[in-house]
Amino acid sequence: MNLIEFIRLVRKNLLLLIFVPMLMAVSTYFLTKNAEREFTSTAMIYTGLSTGFNIESTGESRKDQFVVNNSFENILNTIKSKQTMREVSFRLISQILVLEKADGKTVNPKTFEKLKELMPDNIRKQVLVKNNVQQTYLNLQNAYDEERPKEIRKLYNDGNSPFSLKALSEVKAVRKGSSDMIELSYTLTDKGLCE
């Protein structure tokens, strides 16, 4: 095919060459304009397990590979445990509860309103200590353990909130190859909560 034949081919199909990309662009815009954006947050943790190096060591000792693998499995299981997820959930809730309003950085307005809906004012007053995230967290833990009120237990156990065990079990913890690093990652539509 020479240049003249190519130009004739383009001229013959000019409408098709213009119309199809325009149609695809417009349809993509309308199909995705209301879609929620997803955010992914990642973190790397250096464990020092496979090299046997820590703050106190001189780096001369080596560990058995079986012991190292077992230690990594223990760390990964601890990260994915229900107790760890509950602590993360209640720490997130307590950080949001002490806020007067959604600031857009820590939490977006939709999540802030959803928490208000899931935790009515009377329950909020029982656990909230103004400007004290740690005490609010402890109050949440105590309320959960004592099962008073039941809404706190439901908030964690029901899969409809971003603070539930189901939502937080999406946290991925993976050992990077045979290194000392563990990578944590989480994807969510709320940027602040994701971080």
Side-chain angles (χ1 to χ4, degrees):
M1 176 185 293
N2 61 25
L3 185 59
I4 295 173
E5 290 174 346
F6 179 73
I7 293 172
R8 284 184 190 150
L9 184 64
V10 169
R11 194 170 13 158
K12 180 180 174 185
N13 297 311
L14 189 60
L15 285 176
L16 193 61
L17 288 171
I18 293 173
F19 180 70
V20 171
M22 292 284 279
L23 178 68
M24 294 302 288
V26 169
S27 64
T28 302
Y29 171 75
F30 283 111
L31 291 173
T32 61
K33 74 176 183 177
N34 293 329
E36 286 192 89
R37 293 175 33 192
E38 284 190 340
F39 300 93
T40 300
S41 187
T42 60
M44 291 289 254
I45 300 172
Y46 174 74
T47 62
L49 291 174
S50 64
T51 59
F53 186 76
N54 62 30
I55 294 173
E56 298 168 354
S57 73
T58 59
E60 296 173 7
S61 65
R62 294 290 287 170
K63 292 190 175 182
D64 180 26
Q65 192 63 31
F66 177 75
V67 173
V68 170
N69 288 338
N70 192 28
S71 298
F72 271 107
E73 286 299 316
N74 290 339
I75 290 173
L76 295 175
N77 287 333
T78 301
I79 290 170
K80 295 175 183 179
S81 73
K82 286 184 178 181
Q83 183 66 29
T84 303
M85 293 301 162
R86 191 172 87 188
E87 182 176 339
V88 169
S89 174
F90 289 164
R91 289 201 183 274
L92 286 171
I93 292 169
S94 60
Q95 286 177 359
I96 294 170
L97 284 177
V98 297
L99 295 174
E100 297 290 326
K101 61 180 181 168
D103 59 4
K105 291 181 183 176
T106 308
V107 64
N108 73 22
K110 283 183 185 177
T111 306
F112 190 78
E113 291 303 317
K114 183 163 184 138
L115 183 59
K116 274 187 168 180
E117 181 183 304
L118 294 169
M119 188 180 285
D121 285 338
N122 61 336
I123 297 169
R124 198 179 273 253
K125 288 176 184 174
Q126 290 178 15
V127 295
L128 177 62
V129 178
K130 283 197 178 255
N131 299 324
N132 191 337
V133 175
Q134 182 62 24
Q135 190 58 49
T136 302
Y137 163 73
L138 293 173
N139 290 348
L140 281 167
Q141 285 281 33
N142 291 336
Y144 182 87
D145 292 336
E146 296 171 9
E147 295 187 32
R148 61 140 185 95
K150 294 201 181 293
E151 285 84 357
I152 292 176
R153 201 167 263 277
K154 184 180 178 191
L155 180 68
Y156 174 69
N157 293 326
D158 189 20
N160 296 331
S161 78
F163 312 103
S164 68
L165 174 63
K166 181 181 176 187
L168 291 173
S169 64
E170 297 298 318
V171 172
K172 293 177 181 63
V174 180
R175 182 179 179 191
K176 297 303 282 182
S178 60
S179 70
D180 284 351
M181 308 296 271
I182 293 178
E183 181 181 49
L184 301 171
S185 64
Y186 188 53
T187 302
L188 196 64
T189 56
D190 185 327
K191 183 179 179 185
L193 283 182
C194 185
E195 289 178 3

